[in-house]
């Protein structure tokens, strides 16, 4: 008795393409120009594509011996926050995509191989786009190249013209002196303060 063969289900998601019209004859091509909604968590923690935002695809699908070669560009909006001043960022980027999707019978035998595959005449572009996008995004996005960031003392934006960021800094060598003076008896407190003033004048 022949064991039943199970066929993998076609993937589901906003970036899945139906390639049944392309066929498997090597050399056949199909251009895909479309707009699709972005899946969730596409990007990094600091900057990413908003979930559901429109993604513009301009791709060429080419049937080769091993599978389907996908090449072209993907245009996406971006949102995030500046790594220096934490202000919101609104931007856009174009990602170059070039990936081979193997036919199931031509896929590498290595179980640890993470290559992409054609599943039931469908391509899921999301994993390939996710990898290409993450590599193209900056590790520390900035609202502009010369952003000065935040003040280390008050947390205000250093680029704000109406904020005074010249903070008085006490000499750290005398930081513990006020607490020591407060704990002394009244007579010793006065003598210590006088001595301290005298020493300061001598140094000046």
């Amino acid at each position: 008795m022949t064991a039943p063969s199970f066929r993998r289900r076609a993937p589901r998601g906003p970036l899945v393409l139906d390639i049944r019209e392309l066929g498997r004859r090597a050399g056949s091509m199909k251009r895909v120009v479309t707009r699709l909604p972005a899946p969730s968590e596409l990007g990094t923690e600091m900057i990413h594509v908003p979930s559901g935002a429109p993604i513009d695809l301009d791709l060429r699908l080419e049937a080769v011996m091993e599978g389907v070669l996908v090449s072209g560009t993907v245009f996406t909006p971006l949102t995030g926050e500046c790594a220096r001043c934490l202000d919101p960022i609104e931007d856009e980027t174009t990602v170059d995509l070039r990936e081979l999707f193997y036919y199931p019978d031509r896929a590498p035998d290595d179980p640890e191989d993470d290559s992409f595959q054609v599943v039931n005449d469908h391509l899921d572009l999301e994993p390939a786009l996710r990898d290409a996008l993450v590599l193209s995004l900056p590790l520390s996005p900035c609202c502009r190249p010369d952003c000065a960031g935040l003040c280390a003392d008050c947390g205000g934006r250093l680029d704000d013209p109406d904020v005074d960021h010249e903070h008085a800094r006490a000499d750290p060598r005398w930081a513990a002196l006020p607490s020591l003076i407060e704990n002394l008896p009244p007579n010793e407190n006065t003598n210590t303060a006088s001595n301290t003033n005298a020493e300061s004048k001598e140094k000046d």
Side-chain angles (χ1 to χ4, degrees):
M1 182 176 178
T2 304
S5 59
F6 295 95
R7 192 176 187 185
R8 297 175 63 184
R9 293 183 178 181
R12 295 182 179 181
L15 297 180
V16 174
L17 301 180
D18 188 336
I19 61 168
R20 284 176 290 186
E21 295 181 2
L22 179 65
R24 292 189 60 164
R25 184 172 63 86
S28 59
M29 292 188 196
K30 178 183 178 181
R31 188 180 180 190
V32 176
V33 180
T34 185
R35 172 172 287 185
L36 299 173
S40 59
E41 300 180 358
L42 190 61
T44 65
E45 184 177 354
M46 293 294 295
I47 187 166
H48 59 276
V49 181
S51 179
I55 296 180
D56 293 322
L57 288 77
D58 187 354
L59 304 174
R60 185 178 70 171
L61 311 183
E62 180 180 0
V64 296
M65 295 298 295
E66 296 84 1
V68 178
L69 179 63
V70 179
S71 58
T73 58
V74 181
F75 178 82
T76 69
L78 297 172
T79 185
E81 66 178 21
C82 178
R84 297 178 184 173
C85 68
L86 305 182
D87 275 4
I89 295 176
E90 298 292 336
D91 202 355
E92 54 192 25
T93 187
T94 299
V95 180
D96 293 325
L97 194 63
R98 184 176 179 85
E99 203 68 55
L100 176 62
F101 288 77
Y102 287 93
Y103 295 127
D105 56 342
R106 298 295 179 90
D109 295 331
D110 187 356
E112 297 183 358
D113 186 88
D114 57 354
S115 57
F116 306 108
Q117 293 188 27
V118 177
V119 179
N120 197 10
D121 295 323
H122 286 76
L123 301 179
D124 187 2
L125 297 177
E126 181 179 340
L129 177 58
R130 189 182 301 277
D131 292 347
L133 180 65
V134 169
L135 291 176
S136 69
L137 294 177
L139 294 177
S140 299
C142 295
C143 57
R144 63 178 189 277
D146 60 345
C147 175
L150 302 177
C151 176
D153 292 312
C154 67
R157 295 179 73 255
L158 294 174
D159 289 326
D160 289 344
D162 57 341
V163 178
D164 181 15
H165 290 106
E166 296 182 358
H167 302 287
R169 294 178 178 271
D171 191 328
R173 294 173 297 178
W174 303 99
L177 187 59
S179 60
L180 294 176
I181 294 176
E182 291 178 358
N183 295 328
L184 291 176
N187 56 341
E188 294 185 15
N189 193 328
T190 304
N191 294 335
T192 303
S194 301
N195 294 336
T196 301
N197 293 332
E199 291 177 1
S200 299
K201 292 180 180 179
E202 292 177 1
K203 290 182 179 180
D204 293 340

